[in-house]
Amino acid sequence: MQYLGLNELIKRALEEDIGHADITTQNLIPVDHQSRGIFYAKSPGVVAGVEVSQAVFKYLDPEVKFTIYKEDGSEINPGDIIAEVAGSTATLLTGERAALNFLQHLSGIASKTHAMAAAIKYFKAELVDTRKTTPGLRVLEKYAVAVGGARNHRFGLYDGVMIKDNHIKAVGSIQKAVSTLRIKVPHTVKIEVEVENLDQLQEALESRADIIMLDNMDIETMKKAVEITAGQALLEASGGINESTLVEVAKTGVDFISVGALTHSVTSLDISFNLQ
Amino acid sequence: MQYLGLNELIKRALEEDIGHADITTQNLIPVDHQSRGIFYAKSPGVVAGVEVSQAVFKYLDPEVKFTIYKEDGSEINPGDIIAEVAGSTATLLTGERAALNFLQHLSGIASKTHAMAAAIKYFKAELVDTRKTTPGLRVLEKYAVAVGGARNHRFGLYDGVMIKDNHIKAVGSIQKAVSTLRIKVPHTVKIEVEVENLDQLQEALESRADIIMLDNMDIETMKKAVEITAGQALLEASGGINESTLVEVAKTGVDFISVGALTHSVTSLDISFNLQ
Amino acid sequence: MQYLGLNELIKRALEEDIGHADITTQNLIPVDHQSRGIFYAKSPGVVAGVEVSQAVFKYLDPEVKFTIYKEDGSEINPGDIIAEVAGSTATLLTGERAALNFLQHLSGIASKTHAMAAAIKYFKAELVDTRKTTPGLRVLEKYAVAVGGARNHRFGLYDGVMIKDNHIKAVGSIQKAVSTLRIKVPHTVKIEVEVENLDQLQEALESRADIIMLDNMDIETMKKAVEITAGQALLEASGGINESTLVEVAKTGVDFISVGALTHSVTSLDISFNLQ
Amino acid sequence: MQYLGLNELIKRALEEDIGHADITTQNLIPVDHQSRGIFYAKSPGVVAGVEVSQAVFKYLDPEVKFTIYKEDGSEINPGDIIAEVAGSTATLLTGERAALNFLQHLSGIASKTHAMAAAIKYFKAELVDTRKTTPGLRVLEKYAVAVGGARNHRFGLYDGVMIKDNHIKAVGSIQKAVSTLRIKVPHTVKIEVEVENLDQLQEALESRADIIMLDNMDIETMKKAVEITAGQALLEASGGINESTLVEVAKTGVDFISVGALTHSVTSLDISFNLQ
Amino acid sequence: MQYLGLNELIKRALEEDIGHADITTQNLIPVDHQSRGIFYAKSPGVVAGVEVSQAVFKYLDPEVKFTIYKEDGSEINPGDIIAEVAGSTATLLTGERAALNFLQHLSGIASKTHAMAAAIKYFKAELVDTRKTTPGLRVLEKYAVAVGGARNHRFGLYDGVMIKDNHIKAVGSIQKAVSTLRIKVPHTVKIEVEVENLDQLQEALESRADIIMLDNMDIETMKKAVEITAGQALLEASGGINESTLVEVAKTGVDFISVGALTHSVTSLDISFNLQ
Amino acid sequence: MQYLGLNELIKRALEEDIGHADITTQNLIPVDHQSRGIFYAKSPGVVAGVEVSQAVFKYLDPEVKFTIYKEDGSEINPGDIIAEVAGSTATLLTGERAALNFLQHLSGIASKTHAMAAAIKYFKAELVDTRKTTPGLRVLEKYAVAVGGARNHRFGLYDGVMIKDNHIKAVGSIQKAVSTLRIKVPHTVKIEVEVENLDQLQEALESRADIIMLDNMDIETMKKAVEITAGQALLEASGGINESTLVEVAKTGVDFISVGALTHSVTSLDISFNLQ
């Protein structure tokens, strides 16, 4: 992955953990003591963030050797060695937790995403993420979603238009909102409108929105929305969709299903680090 | 809460969401359009982060009025209004998601913590957190743990000594590790040693460690550890403890139970924002 | 304008000008000396950046009163007063040059844009900017373009896809490039392809690109491109278009005309500041 | 050039262009695809900024090989290859525009400076720049002026004293302003006074100013000023001097001619980048 | 030493010294001119900061070779060569002062600390530092104290509890302050109480404080305090202790003696840099 | 004082002291507890940094009221109240040490400067500072020197030329160094040359240096240097001058005496803070 902000993120993670010094390690481990350590899986899932973990150690000490055995996107099982790191024992012990915090969190996202994406892989619908991400980690979390096999929705308020209920209220109508934005935003971004019922859907279609989000609709209404739309716009289902409702939603024929829980409710993947 | 780094965190959260501009809102909402919006609960839990949410809006626009109805630490139920924000509609719409991302994540932590702390409130054992936090959010997440009713463990590698297995290997013995650190680290911090069995416990006691972490011990062994220790050191149980094993561990008589999942595996609390 | 990075930009502009101190003013002007100063036009044009100038003085000293007489977008003539600033004489003298450097540069862009946009205002074609901006000033310069009456193209490499000659080479064909990106980038951004001749145009149309950039085509070829395209994609003319060729290009019927010189070759608008 | 702030400038230029990712390149170009590209001139001029361009690519990827064929200060003609860059195709495509934005802007300044300096090279007068620079780029722009063959005036308000009309008003007289500053500012900087007529010149000479700026004087008055001054101070002509008036001003015998347009009104030099 | 913030500190030191450029060196020394220079002692003392000096030159130019002859903690005498640096003459001349400013200041601290620690080395009492450090240099100054042979007290308000007079006033009693904090702060930090007389000492002992600071007590009172305490808490003497009173204080039998002057009143160690 | 970088300095000072939290105060002092505190002198001297101390508290909490009784530059005696601060007790306790660290250090510099400047006030020679300042504090320390009654030398390598021995070696001769720089550096800065004997002085005079530094000369040689120079250049005495040699040096008739110890060897002024 190429991400300009990565080192800044790593710096902050290390600073909040190390502060003025790792007082245990610094006072205990001789400067020239060398070790090898491995990251290994303790539960099954999909790896994401192994390069980030590598960058954590490299940030502390460019001399460290980091060997990746499971690239991001690999499925792993308990016992699998994900990566090995060799170098100064002090660096390994000081960097271990920060590296794991990234790796376990991102792998948690990739694993959950992978499971949900797999569940609908024979449907047209694509699983997409949302802006419900952990503050400061948007780019990495969306990266983990992609690694897990889903697709990224817009990254922020700047690279896609989403007209929500509240925008419509302030402006008067979907029609007016879409036509205003159509001539003001860069012609390179699409316009998406959030609708809550079939009347609004109709209005959105007439205003020629590029994408229409069906917000918290029941399955029957979604089906009708798909029929009515008939390919005139892309349809995105959204609102509290989870593992148990996902397939049913996919069956309605929508183009995209967005799931906030991919990034806002994550179970860390169980990965450990051991010196050899 | 007083936290010097808060505005920096908020800045980053807003920057990653807004980028060069909120192109929907900026092009749609008249500059002088005013609104009121409320944050309200959609599931039960404990609030944490409402002041952070306030700071998000204030960062964007100091003119915004933010009224808190449920202070951090309050228990809430579906429908409860947590806070109200009034001011420029554009500010409200642009700041909403960043504010919610903080509020829902931190409230998720406080809620989980509250439930686990409640389960052992009649035992001596105190629930504590770990360094398994989301990169960049350590201080806020530990704050949410405290709000939820548990106690904070050391914040990082700088404010407490923890001698782990790997440190012991590099140094030779628990005895040597403790005595080395006893004269080198500031006399204001305590020394904790991680042990895996009763022999190591014995050695740790002889080395006069202040705190001994019982790592991944079974219940019976923990009980014996408590007996053997007999108040000579504080005892902390650790390692994969969850809702179903928590009470049993508390019954052993340990002083502290540390649970990484309080911060590494969080379900976002369901909170919404609506313009009125 | 709402721009999160504005204060950072102002800070840097002031730091590079003031350094450790404005040694003339600080050693000469009594701390409590008050003045009023005006910004006035010395040549005709369109104002952009007056709020930025205000922010420069506010950054130095929040007590300063800044009154705007000509909002961004106003047409001005020699002698027109754009804004007045009152407060500490030292602040006025220290901030003057940084404020003017922003105001004159941005007004230069807005004025040039305004003239070019006016020249084609009765044609369908819209004038758009490019990524050929001054390093560090992208957002402000694009803002000045919008103020001047043109439309913004994508802001960077992140909010729109542009497949250039070099991308095509590396990937094999326009068809392959478009279809690869169609399933990988967020569904909220459009896909633009740069073509150099009518064969490539045909391929781009078949690949269902959303926007096609006609790169350095002569007028006759552009006309044919418009005919062939027949509304199947948006067409953007690009490549060395200037004041003397603009109208001719607009006559071809393209949808957009992008002009790098709007931001890369700017004549500062002549504006002065005088204490009263 | 040695400039401590260069990497920070490059970081900002890349961040504003790349944002969260170059979505075209990242999704299209295989990670191991390698290329060579050249920067070549499309119009005649003087190169400035080629090391900056090199630093842009190195910032993205230290592995890139960058070969400079035309050092800063070289005169170039259409077709001349300025530099070659070889390495990861993705890096080349992602960094190209930021590198060009620096190189074309700075070369534009050097080229204009070179032409103006050449026009007066047989006169005593030296061409100097001003503080009318693009916000954030002061050091690089002044560097380009030097590369183009002119001399730098003070860099900011901190490394030279300039007593302007407004300072004099606040303080009462040139005499008082000069004598006050003479004992307060570091003895390592000179004192310059701006005068508008011969009476003020006389007063400035009596106050023993080191440098006197003749502000917006006509040619005849400047000549008299040179006579009167007779080497007692350095004389600097200033105020709206351009290509057509430059030589005449030089003929008056002043020591320096300062021209704001060297940096505030720049035509980008036409340079392209092509993969081979 | 491992200190994450070091490069940031060095960057600021260089920026404040070099600003836009070292105008003497840059305009005088040919780019390819090479030299060797040495740092040598002109007065006796203990070296601290030689690695920091090395990092200063490396920051400017990674090609520089830096050879350390006297590691931090070495005792030196006039004429001793501390380190040698070889590389670009311009780098050496530009970096010399910043490197010396660190090296002389930190060596001044180490030397003073060494002398004071030596004076009490046969007593139980350990010399410790305080929070009375130069703003921005806390970590380096505390490092120099450790290098000089004393021990570090808490680094800041975050890694140790110190209940002062003012805290006690606000809370009512030592007893209440200690018991409140005992259950609120991480169990990994100790609790220290500042007392001014023997009554307060008694109260502190009863409240089971871990450490008790005897603030500005006379020698006789301190002796009684040691007797009364009889090992129930660690005792720290504090308050205006200097070279002439140090030994007498040590004789009282306290565990720690804290001396602010170690860092707040430092005589720079005389070290010079010479090109060979 | 106006200093753009002040808040950044204060932020760092507070961050290094407070870290994640002031765990004593935050857990002990009720949020709404209010207090008043005073800063008072415990030894005689000259105040510098009282506005900086004010800014420390304002940074933590803009609501704090800070009243200055002794402006910077005031002479103070034991018992004098320098300033009073009123507001949240927690803010006062948390900010106290950082505020004192600035105030005591800067007042230490001003007091020492004042004493030395007073010693030579009836001589022509002016006392000036050097670049031997504490890393990161250059601007504040030079400010304190000015407050104490001496004059500032150049601030850094950017605002004055100083040709040292090593420069001369690399370039061949004083004559060549001066003439090279005379046409390359901005005409707004003066050129100073460091000489070690009267031959070099002669050469420096012939090269028309503006300022000549007499480095480590004995008193007799300095006297001769003054005679020889006879006003053709400014003369600066430098090199290990201290309280006991100062007057003798002043008597030689030099124009400036630079003393590094003003900033590199400072005894903190004894100032205390007490809640009322």
Side-chain angles (χ1 to χ4, degrees), chain A residues 153-175:
Chain A
H153 205 302
R154 62 173 178 166
F155 270 69
L157 298 164
Y158 54 88
D159 66 334
V161 166
M162 173 84 77
I163 302 169
K164 300 199 170 187
D165 192 32
N166 293 319
H167 293 105
I168 297 167
K169 271 192 226 162
V171 132
S173 72
I174 289 176
Q175 185 75 45

Side-chain angles (χ1 to χ4, degrees), chain C residues 3 8-9 12-13 15-30 33 42 89 93-98 101-102 104-105 131-139 141 154-164 166-171 176-178 180-181 184-186 189 216 264-269 273-276, chain D residues 3 8-9 12-13 15-30 33 42 89 93-98 101-102 104-105 131-139 141 154-164 166-171 176-178 180-181 184-186 189 216 264-269 273-276:
Chain C
Y3 169 34
E8 185 61 28
L9 262 182
R12 281 187 258 125
E15 281 176 351
E16 75 180 0
D17 198 26
I18 301 177
H20 62 261
D22 174 351
I23 56 176
T24 308
T25 300
Q26 174 183 286
N27 288 304
L28 212 49
I29 307 296
H33 198 281
K42 294 176 72 177
T89 306
L93 291 173
T94 299
E96 161 193 350
R97 176 49 41 214
N101 284 350
F102 279 111
Q104 293 184 250
H105 182 68
R131 287 167 45 238
K132 297 178 178 178
T133 56
T134 316
L137 297 182
R138 172 89 38 101
V139 176
E141 291 187 346
R154 62 174 178 165
F155 270 68
L157 298 164
Y158 54 87
D159 67 334
V161 166
M162 173 84 77
I163 302 169
K164 300 198 171 189
N166 294 319
H167 294 106
I168 297 166
K169 272 193 225 162
V171 133
K176 190 163 166 213
V178 174
T180 301
L181 288 168
K184 282 182 143 188
V185 299
V189 297
N216 277 304
H264 74 50
S265 295
V266 182
T267 298
S268 186
L269 192 66
F273 178 77
N274 265 179
L275 289 198
Q276 298 302 289
Chain D
Y3 170 33
E8 185 62 27
L9 262 183
R12 280 186 259 125
E15 280 177 351
E16 75 181 0
D17 197 27
I18 301 177
H20 61 261
D22 174 351
I23 55 176
T24 308
T25 300
Q26 174 183 286
N27 288 304
L28 212 48
I29 307 295
H33 198 281
K42 294 176 72 177
T89 305
L93 292 174
T94 298
E96 161 193 351
R97 175 52 38 213
N101 283 350
F102 278 110
Q104 293 185 249
H105 182 70
R131 288 167 46 238
K132 297 179 179 178
T133 55
T134 315
L137 297 182
R138 172 89 39 101
V139 177
E141 292 187 346
R154 63 173 177 164
F155 271 68
L157 298 164
Y158 54 89
D159 66 336
V161 166
M162 173 83 78
I163 302 170
K164 300 199 172 188
N166 294 318
H167 294 106
I168 297 166
K169 272 192 228 164
V171 134
K176 190 165 166 210
V178 174
T180 302
L181 289 167
K184 283 183 142 185
V185 299
V189 297
N216 276 303
H264 74 50
S265 294
V266 182
T267 297
S268 185
L269 192 67
F273 178 76
N274 265 179
L275 290 197
Q276 298 302 289

Side-chain angles (χ1 to χ4, degrees), chain A residues 30 45 58 69 126 230 256:
Chain A
K58 293 284 185 189
Y69 293 114
E126 288 186 83
F256 301 99

Side-chain angles (χ1 to χ4, degrees), chain D:
Chain D
M1 65 172 308
Q2 160 94 12
Y3 170 33
L4 280 180
L6 182 60
N7 264 356
E8 185 62 27
L9 262 183
I10 286 172
K11 175 168 174 271
R12 280 186 259 125
L14 287 171
E15 280 177 351
E16 75 181 0
D17 197 27
I18 301 177
H20 61 261
D22 174 351
I23 55 176
T24 308
T25 300
Q26 174 183 286
N27 288 304
L28 212 48
I29 307 295
V31 164
D32 52 358
H33 198 281
Q34 301 283 312
S35 294
R36 260 183 347 107
I38 56 164
F39 288 93
Y40 64 99
K42 294 176 72 177
S43 47
V46 171
V47 176
V50 68
E51 288 177 52
V52 178
S53 300
Q54 178 178 37
V56 168
F57 288 105
K58 294 284 187 189
Y59 188 94
L60 281 176
D61 178 0
E63 304 295 302
V64 157
K65 299 245 174 304
F66 194 98
T67 313
I68 296 175
Y69 293 114
K70 298 286 179 183
E71 296 283 351
D72 283 357
S74 309
E75 293 185 51
I76 50 173
N77 287 297
D80 284 355
I81 297 178
I82 299 165
E84 180 182 304
V85 49
S88 148
T89 305
T91 301
L92 270 51
L93 292 174
T94 298
E96 161 193 351
R97 175 52 38 213
L100 276 170
N101 283 350
F102 278 110
L103 183 59
Q104 293 185 249
H105 182 70
L106 297 177
S107 297
I109 290 173
S111 301
K112 178 171 197 160
T113 302
H114 182 74
M116 292 190 81
I120 58 168
K121 77 172 158 190
Y122 298 115
F123 295 93
K124 177 175 82 173
E126 288 186 82
L127 183 65
V128 296
D129 54 27
T130 68
R131 288 167 46 238
K132 297 179 179 178
T133 55
T134 315
L137 297 182
R138 172 89 39 101
V139 177
L140 287 187
E141 292 187 346
K142 290 212 164 220
Y143 165 77
V145 164
V147 158
R151 186 166 169 176
N152 295 137
H153 206 302
R154 63 173 177 164
F155 271 68
L157 298 164
Y158 54 89
D159 66 336
V161 166
M162 173 83 78
I163 302 170
K164 300 199 172 188
D165 191 33
N166 294 318
H167 294 106
I168 297 166
K169 272 192 228 164
V171 134
S173 72
I174 289 177
Q175 186 74 45
K176 190 165 166 210
V178 174
S179 60
T180 302
L181 289 167
R182 185 67 78 196
I183 58 170
K184 283 183 142 185
V185 299
H187 58 285
T188 53
V189 297
K190 293 185 186 161
I191 292 178
E192 179 163 3
V193 179
E194 182 183 301
V195 303
E196 280 161 16
N197 54 51
L198 299 179
D199 285 352
Q200 287 190 319
L201 173 70
Q202 201 61 55
E203 196 185 344
L205 287 170
E206 279 156 22
S207 69
R208 305 185 54 114
D210 298 299
I211 314 167
I212 299 170
M213 178 198 277
L214 310 176
D215 189 34
N216 276 303
M217 282 188 186
D218 60 41
I219 297 293
E220 283 316 301
T221 315
M222 274 196 232
K223 279 185 187 155
K224 282 188 202 134
V226 171
E227 265 177 62
I228 292 165
T229 301
Q232 298 170 76
L234 295 169
L235 289 183
E236 174 184 337
S238 186
I241 298 163
N242 56 34
E243 282 87 345
S244 65
T245 56
L246 182 65
V247 171
E248 225 179 348
V249 173
K251 284 183 183 162
T252 63
V254 295
D255 301 287
F256 300 100
I257 303 174
S258 58
V259 176
L262 292 181
T263 52
H264 74 50
S265 294
V266 182
T267 297
S268 185
L269 192 67
D270 201 358
I271 298 172
S272 271
F273 178 76
N274 265 179
L275 290 197
Q276 298 302 289

Side-chain angles (χ1 to χ4, degrees), chain A residues 177-194:
Chain A
V178 175
S179 60
T180 301
L181 288 168
R182 184 67 78 196
I183 59 171
K184 282 182 143 188
V185 299
H187 58 285
T188 53
V189 297
K190 291 185 188 163
I191 292 177
E192 178 162 1
V193 179
E194 182 184 301

Side-chain angles (χ1 to χ4, degrees), chain F residues 193-258:
Chain F
V193 179
E194 181 183 302
V195 304
E196 280 161 17
N197 54 50
L198 298 179
D199 285 351
Q200 286 189 322
L201 173 70
Q202 202 60 57
E203 195 185 344
L205 287 170
E206 278 157 23
S207 71
R208 307 186 52 112
D210 299 299
I211 313 166
I212 298 171
M213 177 198 278
L214 310 175
D215 189 35
N216 277 304
M217 282 187 186
D218 59 41
I219 296 294
E220 283 315 302
T221 316
M222 274 196 234
K223 278 185 189 157
K224 282 188 202 137
V226 172
E227 265 178 62
I228 293 166
T229 300
Q232 298 169 77
L234 295 169
L235 289 183
E236 174 183 338
S238 186
I241 298 162
N242 56 35
E243 282 86 346
S244 67
T245 56
L246 183 65
V247 170
E248 223 179 347
V249 174
K251 284 183 181 161
T252 62
V254 296
D255 301 286
F256 300 99
I257 303 174
S258 56

